[in-house]
Amino acid sequence: MAVRWSRGGYGRPMPGTLRITVLTFAVLALLFALAFAHRLLADGSLGATAFFAVLAVACAVVAGALAARRAWAPFPAYALAGLLAAASLGLFGAITVVGLALLAWVLWALNTRPSREWLSRRRHPR
């Protein structure tokens, strides 16, 4: 006799590529929040402080929206990854590679079939 255990929630687990993307934006939100706190306490530069605060909030919103299965969540993720990639282009070096890699990852990960199906909340009968 086979016993099936129900995971509860949405019925299907989050795809791995989407899970890594959520984790990436959550880590970015944490890093930008730390940079915000550092600039606020140490330097006092209002422009840099506001920049890091906005990026911390934007990364947190993207991570939260992706994790909450919002259908509109990929669009701010594309925009934010594109913004970070464009911002890194002027620095030419390892940070440029990281910015472009983030953009390529987000474009690929959110367009895989499991990610699109999970975000669209489509149900497939078995």
PDB file of all heavy atoms in Angstrom, residues 61-75:
ATOM      1  N   VAL A  61      11.597  43.521  -2.500  1.00  0.00           N
ATOM      2  CA  VAL A  61      10.293  43.405  -3.161  1.00  0.00           C
ATOM      3  C   VAL A  61      10.325  42.317  -4.223  1.00  0.00           C
ATOM      4  O   VAL A  61       9.392  41.507  -4.328  1.00  0.00           O
ATOM      5  CB  VAL A  61       9.871  44.765  -3.766  1.00  0.00           C
ATOM      6  CG1 VAL A  61       8.716  44.611  -4.736  1.00  0.00           C
ATOM      7  CG2 VAL A  61       9.512  45.739  -2.662  1.00  0.00           C
ATOM      8  N   VAL A  62      11.382  42.263  -5.014  1.00  0.00           N
ATOM      9  CA  VAL A  62      11.494  41.237  -6.053  1.00  0.00           C
ATOM     10  C   VAL A  62      11.556  39.848  -5.422  1.00  0.00           C
ATOM     11  O   VAL A  62      10.851  38.927  -5.863  1.00  0.00           O
ATOM     12  CB  VAL A  62      12.720  41.499  -6.951  1.00  0.00           C
ATOM     13  CG1 VAL A  62      13.032  40.300  -7.833  1.00  0.00           C
ATOM     14  CG2 VAL A  62      12.491  42.728  -7.804  1.00  0.00           C
ATOM     15  N   ALA A  63      12.366  39.671  -4.397  1.00  0.00           N
ATOM     16  CA  ALA A  63      12.467  38.361  -3.737  1.00  0.00           C
ATOM     17  C   ALA A  63      11.127  37.957  -3.138  1.00  0.00           C
ATOM     18  O   ALA A  63      10.694  36.808  -3.287  1.00  0.00           O
ATOM     19  CB  ALA A  63      13.545  38.395  -2.661  1.00  0.00           C
ATOM     20  N   GLY A  64      10.463  38.885  -2.481  1.00  0.00           N
ATOM     21  CA  GLY A  64       9.165  38.580  -1.876  1.00  0.00           C
ATOM     22  C   GLY A  64       8.095  38.261  -2.910  1.00  0.00           C
ATOM     23  O   GLY A  64       7.294  37.346  -2.724  1.00  0.00           O
ATOM     24  N   ALA A  65       8.078  39.015  -4.003  1.00  0.00           N
ATOM     25  CA  ALA A  65       7.071  38.779  -5.040  1.00  0.00           C
ATOM     26  C   ALA A  65       7.285  37.440  -5.734  1.00  0.00           C
ATOM     27  O   ALA A  65       6.323  36.720  -6.030  1.00  0.00           O
ATOM     28  CB  ALA A  65       7.095  39.917  -6.055  1.00  0.00           C
ATOM     29  N   LEU A  66       8.534  37.091  -5.992  1.00  0.00           N
ATOM     30  CA  LEU A  66       8.815  35.789  -6.614  1.00  0.00           C
ATOM     31  C   LEU A  66       8.431  34.647  -5.674  1.00  0.00           C
ATOM     32  O   LEU A  66       7.855  33.644  -6.099  1.00  0.00           O
ATOM     33  CB  LEU A  66      10.287  35.682  -7.000  1.00  0.00           C
ATOM     34  CG  LEU A  66      10.735  36.505  -8.207  1.00  0.00           C
ATOM     35  CD1 LEU A  66      12.247  36.457  -8.339  1.00  0.00           C
ATOM     36  CD2 LEU A  66      10.078  36.021  -9.478  1.00  0.00           C
ATOM     37  N   ALA A  67       8.753  34.799  -4.401  1.00  0.00           N
ATOM     38  CA  ALA A  67       8.432  33.752  -3.439  1.00  0.00           C
ATOM     39  C   ALA A  67       6.929  33.622  -3.221  1.00  0.00           C
ATOM     40  O   ALA A  67       6.427  32.524  -2.949  1.00  0.00           O
ATOM     41  CB  ALA A  67       9.120  34.025  -2.110  1.00  0.00           C
ATOM     42  N   ALA A  68       6.191  34.719  -3.369  1.00  0.00           N
ATOM     43  CA  ALA A  68       4.745  34.702  -3.154  1.00  0.00           C
ATOM     44  C   ALA A  68       3.964  34.329  -4.421  1.00  0.00           C
ATOM     45  O   ALA A  68       2.741  34.388  -4.418  1.00  0.00           O
ATOM     46  CB  ALA A  68       4.283  36.068  -2.661  1.00  0.00           C
ATOM     47  N   ARG A  69       4.661  33.970  -5.477  1.00  0.00           N
ATOM     48  CA  ARG A  69       4.050  33.530  -6.741  1.00  0.00           C
ATOM     49  C   ARG A  69       3.196  34.599  -7.392  1.00  0.00           C
ATOM     50  O   ARG A  69       2.135  34.312  -7.927  1.00  0.00           O
ATOM     51  CB  ARG A  69       3.195  32.287  -6.525  1.00  0.00           C
ATOM     52  CG  ARG A  69       3.966  31.043  -6.301  1.00  0.00           C
ATOM     53  CD  ARG A  69       3.049  29.891  -6.119  1.00  0.00           C
ATOM     54  NE  ARG A  69       2.670  29.323  -7.417  1.00  0.00           N
ATOM     55  CZ  ARG A  69       1.977  28.214  -7.541  1.00  0.00           C
ATOM     56  NH1 ARG A  69       1.567  27.566  -6.477  1.00  0.00           N
ATOM     57  NH2 ARG A  69       1.673  27.753  -8.730  1.00  0.00           N
ATOM     58  N   ARG A  70       3.640  35.812  -7.379  1.00  0.00           N
ATOM     59  CA  ARG A  70       2.915  36.874  -8.063  1.00  0.00           C
ATOM     60  C   ARG A  70       3.183  36.754  -9.567  1.00  0.00           C
ATOM     61  O   ARG A  70       4.327  36.580  -9.981  1.00  0.00           O
ATOM     62  CB  ARG A  70       3.358  38.255  -7.586  1.00  0.00           C
ATOM     63  CG  ARG A  70       3.168  38.464  -6.107  1.00  0.00           C
ATOM     64  CD  ARG A  70       1.688  38.538  -5.779  1.00  0.00           C
ATOM     65  NE  ARG A  70       1.508  38.807  -4.370  1.00  0.00           N
ATOM     66  CZ  ARG A  70       0.705  38.099  -3.605  1.00  0.00           C
ATOM     67  NH1 ARG A  70       0.009  37.112  -4.102  1.00  0.00           N
ATOM     68  NH2 ARG A  70       0.576  38.403  -2.332  1.00  0.00           N
ATOM     69  N   ALA A  71       2.148  36.857 -10.364  1.00  0.00           N
ATOM     70  CA  ALA A  71       2.289  36.699 -11.816  1.00  0.00           C
ATOM     71  C   ALA A  71       3.128  37.820 -12.423  1.00  0.00           C
ATOM     72  O   ALA A  71       3.786  37.626 -13.443  1.00  0.00           O
ATOM     73  CB  ALA A  71       0.915  36.659 -12.469  1.00  0.00           C
ATOM     74  N   TRP A  72       3.146  38.985 -11.803  1.00  0.00           N
ATOM     75  CA  TRP A  72       3.896  40.125 -12.314  1.00  0.00           C
ATOM     76  C   TRP A  72       5.344  40.142 -11.827  1.00  0.00           C
ATOM     77  O   TRP A  72       6.130  41.014 -12.235  1.00  0.00           O
ATOM     78  CB  TRP A  72       3.223  41.435 -11.910  1.00  0.00           C
ATOM     79  CG  TRP A  72       2.889  41.527 -10.454  1.00  0.00           C
ATOM     80  CD1 TRP A  72       1.698  41.214  -9.886  1.00  0.00           C
ATOM     81  CD2 TRP A  72       3.753  41.925  -9.378  1.00  0.00           C
ATOM     82  NE1 TRP A  72       1.762  41.409  -8.520  1.00  0.00           N
ATOM     83  CE2 TRP A  72       3.012  41.839  -8.187  1.00  0.00           C
ATOM     84  CE3 TRP A  72       5.077  42.348  -9.311  1.00  0.00           C
ATOM     85  CZ2 TRP A  72       3.552  42.154  -6.946  1.00  0.00           C
ATOM     86  CZ3 TRP A  72       5.615  42.664  -8.074  1.00  0.00           C
ATOM     87  CH2 TRP A  72       4.862  42.573  -6.917  1.00  0.00           C
ATOM     88  N   ALA A  73       5.741  39.224 -10.993  1.00  0.00           N
ATOM     89  CA  ALA A  73       7.062  39.249 -10.354  1.00  0.00           C
ATOM     90  C   ALA A  73       8.251  39.189 -11.317  1.00  0.00           C
ATOM     91  O   ALA A  73       9.273  39.814 -11.031  1.00  0.00           O
ATOM     92  CB  ALA A  73       7.167  38.125  -9.330  1.00  0.00           C
ATOM     93  N   PRO A  74       8.176  38.471 -12.441  1.00  0.00           N
ATOM     94  CA  PRO A  74       9.358  38.458 -13.316  1.00  0.00           C
ATOM     95  C   PRO A  74       9.713  39.827 -13.889  1.00  0.00           C
ATOM     96  O   PRO A  74      10.885  40.110 -14.116  1.00  0.00           O
ATOM     97  CB  PRO A  74       8.966  37.492 -14.435  1.00  0.00           C
ATOM     98  CG  PRO A  74       7.951  36.601 -13.831  1.00  0.00           C
ATOM     99  CD  PRO A  74       7.206  37.457 -12.859  1.00  0.00           C
ATOM    100  N   PHE A  75       8.736  40.697 -14.109  1.00  0.00           N
ATOM    101  CA  PHE A  75       9.022  41.970 -14.752  1.00  0.00           C
ATOM    102  C   PHE A  75       9.903  42.887 -13.910  1.00  0.00           C
ATOM    103  O   PHE A  75      10.882  43.449 -14.427  1.00  0.00           O
ATOM    104  CB  PHE A  75       7.717  42.648 -15.177  1.00  0.00           C
ATOM    105  CG  PHE A  75       6.911  41.771 -16.101  1.00  0.00           C
ATOM    106  CD1 PHE A  75       5.703  41.246 -15.690  1.00  0.00           C
ATOM    107  CD2 PHE A  75       7.398  41.427 -17.346  1.00  0.00           C
ATOM    108  CE1 PHE A  75       4.973  40.411 -16.517  1.00  0.00           C
ATOM    109  CE2 PHE A  75       6.676  40.596 -18.187  1.00  0.00           C
ATOM    110  CZ  PHE A  75       5.461  40.088 -17.779  1.00  0.00           C
TER     111      PHE A  75
END
